[in-house]
Amino acid sequence: VQLVESGGGLVQAGGSLRLSCAASGSIFRLLAMGWYRQAPGKQRELVAVITRAGSTNYADAVKGRFTISRDNAKSTVYLQMNSLKPEDTAVYYCNVLTDRSYWGQGTQVTVSS
């Protein structure tokens, strides 16, 4: 399974970005797809996850601002990020969880104040 992320970039505070993660290869027994982020000097943290059944869960810091969605036909997961804040600045990683955990290469999101 390979994951390719796109959509990161530089945006001003209050702006929006949409991240995409396209999965290729054979995915068996999918459990969930999600987004994590890692800011400089900090540990990687969960941002949002969507389960095989479509249930979603968000970190408290992004609730009401970020939305995770999935296109099963395209094997793609999205993260719509609105009302971005400087503290959202991080490298964002896509994750696919089956009986293994697969990671994308990461995409930089920088929010200027």
Side-chain angles (χ1 to χ4, degrees), residues 6-31:
S6 60
L10 173 64
V11 65
Q12 289 187 332
S16 298
L17 284 173
R18 188 193 195 204
L19 304 182
S20 299
C21 173
S24 62
S26 299
I27 301 176
F28 297 104
R29 302 175 66 85
L30 174 69
L31 296 176

PDB file of all heavy atoms in Angstrom, residues 6-31:
ATOM      1  N   SER A   6      -1.256  15.271  -0.831  1.00  0.00           N
ATOM      2  CA  SER A   6      -1.119  16.530  -1.552  1.00  0.00           C
ATOM      3  C   SER A   6      -2.013  17.565  -0.895  1.00  0.00           C
ATOM      4  O   SER A   6      -2.892  17.223  -0.096  1.00  0.00           O
ATOM      5  CB  SER A   6      -1.496  16.360  -3.028  1.00  0.00           C
ATOM      6  OG  SER A   6      -2.833  15.928  -3.152  1.00  0.00           O
ATOM      7  N   GLY A   7      -1.775  18.834  -1.249  1.00  0.00           N
ATOM      8  CA  GLY A   7      -2.656  19.898  -0.790  1.00  0.00           C
ATOM      9  C   GLY A   7      -2.086  20.790   0.285  1.00  0.00           C
ATOM     10  O   GLY A   7      -2.715  21.772   0.673  1.00  0.00           O
ATOM     11  N   GLY A   8      -0.914  20.478   0.796  1.00  0.00           N
ATOM     12  CA  GLY A   8      -0.321  21.345   1.800  1.00  0.00           C
ATOM     13  C   GLY A   8       0.170  22.641   1.187  1.00  0.00           C
ATOM     14  O   GLY A   8       0.145  22.827  -0.025  1.00  0.00           O
ATOM     15  N   GLY A   9       0.603  23.563   2.056  1.00  0.00           N
ATOM     16  CA  GLY A   9       1.115  24.826   1.564  1.00  0.00           C
ATOM     17  C   GLY A   9       1.126  25.885   2.638  1.00  0.00           C
ATOM     18  O   GLY A   9       0.990  25.585   3.828  1.00  0.00           O
ATOM     19  N   LEU A  10       1.282  27.108   2.191  1.00  0.00           N
ATOM     20  CA  LEU A  10       1.322  28.269   3.085  1.00  0.00           C
ATOM     21  C   LEU A  10       0.011  29.030   2.965  1.00  0.00           C
ATOM     22  O   LEU A  10      -0.447  29.325   1.854  1.00  0.00           O
ATOM     23  CB  LEU A  10       2.495  29.168   2.701  1.00  0.00           C
ATOM     24  CG  LEU A  10       2.599  30.519   3.412  1.00  0.00           C
ATOM     25  CD1 LEU A  10       2.837  30.321   4.900  1.00  0.00           C
ATOM     26  CD2 LEU A  10       3.719  31.350   2.786  1.00  0.00           C
ATOM     27  N   VAL A  11      -0.577  29.347   4.097  1.00  0.00           N
ATOM     28  CA  VAL A  11      -1.851  30.068   4.111  1.00  0.00           C
ATOM     29  C   VAL A  11      -1.861  31.016   5.294  1.00  0.00           C
ATOM     30  O   VAL A  11      -1.195  30.772   6.309  1.00  0.00           O
ATOM     31  CB  VAL A  11      -3.032  29.065   4.185  1.00  0.00           C
ATOM     32  CG1 VAL A  11      -3.021  28.291   5.491  1.00  0.00           C
ATOM     33  CG2 VAL A  11      -4.358  29.748   3.943  1.00  0.00           C
ATOM     34  N   GLN A  12      -2.587  32.095   5.165  1.00  0.00           N
ATOM     35  CA  GLN A  12      -2.723  33.038   6.269  1.00  0.00           C
ATOM     36  C   GLN A  12      -3.728  32.519   7.288  1.00  0.00           C
ATOM     37  O   GLN A  12      -4.638  31.733   6.949  1.00  0.00           O
ATOM     38  CB  GLN A  12      -3.169  34.411   5.755  1.00  0.00           C
ATOM     39  CG  GLN A  12      -2.097  35.158   4.975  1.00  0.00           C
ATOM     40  CD  GLN A  12      -2.516  36.573   4.635  1.00  0.00           C
ATOM     41  OE1 GLN A  12      -3.704  36.857   4.498  1.00  0.00           O
ATOM     42  NE2 GLN A  12      -1.553  37.464   4.503  1.00  0.00           N
ATOM     43  N   ALA A  13      -3.579  32.967   8.510  1.00  0.00           N
ATOM     44  CA  ALA A  13      -4.523  32.602   9.556  1.00  0.00           C
ATOM     45  C   ALA A  13      -5.945  32.954   9.122  1.00  0.00           C
ATOM     46  O   ALA A  13      -6.180  34.019   8.541  1.00  0.00           O
ATOM     47  CB  ALA A  13      -4.177  33.316  10.853  1.00  0.00           C
ATOM     48  N   GLY A  14      -6.860  32.033   9.385  1.00  0.00           N
ATOM     49  CA  GLY A  14      -8.231  32.220   8.959  1.00  0.00           C
ATOM     50  C   GLY A  14      -8.547  31.600   7.614  1.00  0.00           C
ATOM     51  O   GLY A  14      -9.721  31.491   7.235  1.00  0.00           O
ATOM     52  N   GLY A  15      -7.516  31.190   6.909  1.00  0.00           N
ATOM     53  CA  GLY A  15      -7.702  30.608   5.593  1.00  0.00           C
ATOM     54  C   GLY A  15      -8.027  29.126   5.650  1.00  0.00           C
ATOM     55  O   GLY A  15      -8.208  28.544   6.725  1.00  0.00           O
ATOM     56  N   SER A  16      -8.090  28.523   4.454  1.00  0.00           N
ATOM     57  CA  SER A  16      -8.467  27.121   4.336  1.00  0.00           C
ATOM     58  C   SER A  16      -7.505  26.365   3.430  1.00  0.00           C
ATOM     59  O   SER A  16      -6.896  26.951   2.533  1.00  0.00           O
ATOM     60  CB  SER A  16      -9.881  26.994   3.752  1.00  0.00           C
ATOM     61  OG  SER A  16     -10.845  27.591   4.589  1.00  0.00           O
ATOM     62  N   LEU A  17      -7.385  25.093   3.694  1.00  0.00           N
ATOM     63  CA  LEU A  17      -6.649  24.178   2.831  1.00  0.00           C
ATOM     64  C   LEU A  17      -7.385  22.841   2.821  1.00  0.00           C
ATOM     65  O   LEU A  17      -8.071  22.505   3.789  1.00  0.00           O
ATOM     66  CB  LEU A  17      -5.224  23.942   3.338  1.00  0.00           C
ATOM     67  CG  LEU A  17      -4.175  25.037   3.130  1.00  0.00           C
ATOM     68  CD1 LEU A  17      -2.887  24.662   3.847  1.00  0.00           C
ATOM     69  CD2 LEU A  17      -3.917  25.266   1.656  1.00  0.00           C
ATOM     70  N   ARG A  18      -7.196  22.098   1.745  1.00  0.00           N
ATOM     71  CA  ARG A  18      -7.763  20.760   1.649  1.00  0.00           C
ATOM     72  C   ARG A  18      -6.650  19.779   1.331  1.00  0.00           C
ATOM     73  O   ARG A  18      -6.015  19.889   0.275  1.00  0.00           O
ATOM     74  CB  ARG A  18      -8.843  20.687   0.574  1.00  0.00           C
ATOM     75  CG  ARG A  18      -9.605  19.371   0.548  1.00  0.00           C
ATOM     76  CD  ARG A  18     -10.408  19.249  -0.716  1.00  0.00           C
ATOM     77  NE  ARG A  18     -11.406  18.189  -0.643  1.00  0.00           N
ATOM     78  CZ  ARG A  18     -11.908  17.570  -1.714  1.00  0.00           C
ATOM     79  NH1 ARG A  18     -11.486  17.919  -2.919  1.00  0.00           N
ATOM     80  NH2 ARG A  18     -12.812  16.632  -1.569  1.00  0.00           N
ATOM     81  N   LEU A  19      -6.428  18.852   2.227  1.00  0.00           N
ATOM     82  CA  LEU A  19      -5.433  17.814   2.013  1.00  0.00           C
ATOM     83  C   LEU A  19      -6.094  16.584   1.401  1.00  0.00           C
ATOM     84  O   LEU A  19      -7.238  16.256   1.728  1.00  0.00           O
ATOM     85  CB  LEU A  19      -4.766  17.426   3.328  1.00  0.00           C
ATOM     86  CG  LEU A  19      -4.115  18.553   4.130  1.00  0.00           C
ATOM     87  CD1 LEU A  19      -3.445  17.971   5.381  1.00  0.00           C
ATOM     88  CD2 LEU A  19      -3.126  19.323   3.301  1.00  0.00           C
ATOM     89  N   SER A  20      -5.350  15.916   0.522  1.00  0.00           N
ATOM     90  CA  SER A  20      -5.813  14.672  -0.088  1.00  0.00           C
ATOM     91  C   SER A  20      -4.769  13.589   0.128  1.00  0.00           C
ATOM     92  O   SER A  20      -3.566  13.869   0.151  1.00  0.00           O
ATOM     93  CB  SER A  20      -6.045  14.857  -1.593  1.00  0.00           C
ATOM     94  OG  SER A  20      -7.020  15.834  -1.853  1.00  0.00           O
ATOM     95  N   CYS A  21      -5.230  12.375   0.256  1.00  0.00           N
ATOM     96  CA  CYS A  21      -4.340  11.227   0.396  1.00  0.00           C
ATOM     97  C   CYS A  21      -4.902  10.097  -0.445  1.00  0.00           C
ATOM     98  O   CYS A  21      -5.963   9.553  -0.129  1.00  0.00           O
ATOM     99  CB  CYS A  21      -4.217  10.806   1.845  1.00  0.00           C
ATOM    100  SG  CYS A  21      -3.289   9.273   2.101  1.00  0.00           S
ATOM    101  N   ALA A  22      -4.195   9.765  -1.513  1.00  0.00           N
ATOM    102  CA  ALA A  22      -4.625   8.704  -2.407  1.00  0.00           C
ATOM    103  C   ALA A  22      -3.867   7.425  -2.078  1.00  0.00           C
ATOM    104  O   ALA A  22      -2.629   7.426  -2.028  1.00  0.00           O
ATOM    105  CB  ALA A  22      -4.384   9.110  -3.856  1.00  0.00           C
ATOM    106  N   ALA A  23      -4.609   6.358  -1.873  1.00  0.00           N
ATOM    107  CA  ALA A  23      -4.014   5.065  -1.556  1.00  0.00           C
ATOM    108  C   ALA A  23      -4.002   4.180  -2.789  1.00  0.00           C
ATOM    109  O   ALA A  23      -4.994   4.109  -3.522  1.00  0.00           O
ATOM    110  CB  ALA A  23      -4.802   4.388  -0.439  1.00  0.00           C
ATOM    111  N   SER A  24      -2.887   3.534  -3.021  1.00  0.00           N
ATOM    112  CA  SER A  24      -2.782   2.595  -4.124  1.00  0.00           C
ATOM    113  C   SER A  24      -2.291   1.262  -3.582  1.00  0.00           C
ATOM    114  O   SER A  24      -1.678   1.193  -2.529  1.00  0.00           O
ATOM    115  CB  SER A  24      -1.838   3.120  -5.201  1.00  0.00           C
ATOM    116  OG  SER A  24      -0.535   3.281  -4.672  1.00  0.00           O
ATOM    117  N   GLY A  25      -2.577   0.201  -4.355  1.00  0.00           N
ATOM    118  CA  GLY A  25      -2.231  -1.127  -3.885  1.00  0.00           C
ATOM    119  C   GLY A  25      -3.453  -1.806  -3.280  1.00  0.00           C
ATOM    120  O   GLY A  25      -4.527  -1.228  -3.196  1.00  0.00           O
ATOM    121  N   SER A  26      -3.253  -3.015  -2.846  1.00  0.00           N
ATOM    122  CA  SER A  26      -4.364  -3.802  -2.309  1.00  0.00           C
ATOM    123  C   SER A  26      -4.526  -3.535  -0.815  1.00  0.00           C
ATOM    124  O   SER A  26      -3.588  -3.708  -0.048  1.00  0.00           O
ATOM    125  CB  SER A  26      -4.101  -5.288  -2.536  1.00  0.00           C
ATOM    126  OG  SER A  26      -3.997  -5.564  -3.924  1.00  0.00           O
ATOM    127  N   ILE A  27      -5.699  -3.089  -0.455  1.00  0.00           N
ATOM    128  CA  ILE A  27      -5.990  -2.808   0.947  1.00  0.00           C
ATOM    129  C   ILE A  27      -6.996  -3.838   1.430  1.00  0.00           C
ATOM    130  O   ILE A  27      -8.150  -3.839   1.002  1.00  0.00           O
ATOM    131  CB  ILE A  27      -6.548  -1.391   1.143  1.00  0.00           C
ATOM    132  CG1 ILE A  27      -5.539  -0.351   0.637  1.00  0.00           C
ATOM    133  CG2 ILE A  27      -6.860  -1.149   2.613  1.00  0.00           C
ATOM    134  CD1 ILE A  27      -6.042   1.072   0.713  1.00  0.00           C
ATOM    135  N   PHE A  28      -6.560  -4.695   2.308  1.00  0.00           N
ATOM    136  CA  PHE A  28      -7.435  -5.723   2.856  1.00  0.00           C
ATOM    137  C   PHE A  28      -7.756  -5.404   4.304  1.00  0.00           C
ATOM    138  O   PHE A  28      -6.924  -4.935   5.047  1.00  0.00           O
ATOM    139  CB  PHE A  28      -6.753  -7.089   2.762  1.00  0.00           C
ATOM    140  CG  PHE A  28      -6.475  -7.523   1.356  1.00  0.00           C
ATOM    141  CD1 PHE A  28      -5.188  -7.458   0.835  1.00  0.00           C
ATOM    142  CD2 PHE A  28      -7.481  -7.993   0.548  1.00  0.00           C
ATOM    143  CE1 PHE A  28      -4.921  -7.849  -0.465  1.00  0.00           C
ATOM    144  CE2 PHE A  28      -7.237  -8.392  -0.756  1.00  0.00           C
ATOM    145  CZ  PHE A  28      -5.955  -8.317  -1.261  1.00  0.00           C
ATOM    146  N   ARG A  29      -8.967  -5.684   4.696  1.00  0.00           N
ATOM    147  CA  ARG A  29      -9.393  -5.521   6.075  1.00  0.00           C
ATOM    148  C   ARG A  29      -9.110  -4.110   6.581  1.00  0.00           C
ATOM    149  O   ARG A  29      -8.523  -3.912   7.638  1.00  0.00           O
ATOM    150  CB  ARG A  29      -8.707  -6.553   6.965  1.00  0.00           C
ATOM    151  CG  ARG A  29      -8.980  -7.999   6.545  1.00  0.00           C
ATOM    152  CD  ARG A  29      -8.172  -8.974   7.388  1.00  0.00           C
ATOM    153  NE  ARG A  29      -8.593  -8.952   8.779  1.00  0.00           N
ATOM    154  CZ  ARG A  29      -9.599  -9.651   9.266  1.00  0.00           C
ATOM    155  NH1 ARG A  29     -10.313 -10.424   8.457  1.00  0.00           N
ATOM    156  NH2 ARG A  29      -9.920  -9.587  10.539  1.00  0.00           N
ATOM    157  N   LEU A  30      -9.574  -3.117   5.803  1.00  0.00           N
ATOM    158  CA  LEU A  30      -9.398  -1.726   6.214  1.00  0.00           C
ATOM    159  C   LEU A  30     -10.127  -1.479   7.523  1.00  0.00           C
ATOM    160  O   LEU A  30     -11.291  -1.846   7.687  1.00  0.00           O
ATOM    161  CB  LEU A  30      -9.936  -0.788   5.138  1.00  0.00           C
ATOM    162  CG  LEU A  30      -9.948   0.699   5.506  1.00  0.00           C
ATOM    163  CD1 LEU A  30      -8.527   1.229   5.585  1.00  0.00           C
ATOM    164  CD2 LEU A  30     -10.759   1.488   4.505  1.00  0.00           C
ATOM    165  N   LEU A  31      -9.460  -0.861   8.452  1.00  0.00           N
ATOM    166  CA  LEU A  31     -10.074  -0.501   9.721  1.00  0.00           C
ATOM    167  C   LEU A  31     -10.385   0.992   9.780  1.00  0.00           C
ATOM    168  O   LEU A  31     -11.473   1.387  10.206  1.00  0.00           O
ATOM    169  CB  LEU A  31      -9.156  -0.873  10.882  1.00  0.00           C
ATOM    170  CG  LEU A  31      -8.888  -2.372  11.057  1.00  0.00           C
ATOM    171  CD1 LEU A  31      -7.885  -2.606  12.173  1.00  0.00           C
ATOM    172  CD2 LEU A  31     -10.180  -3.133  11.321  1.00  0.00           C
TER     173      LEU A  31
END
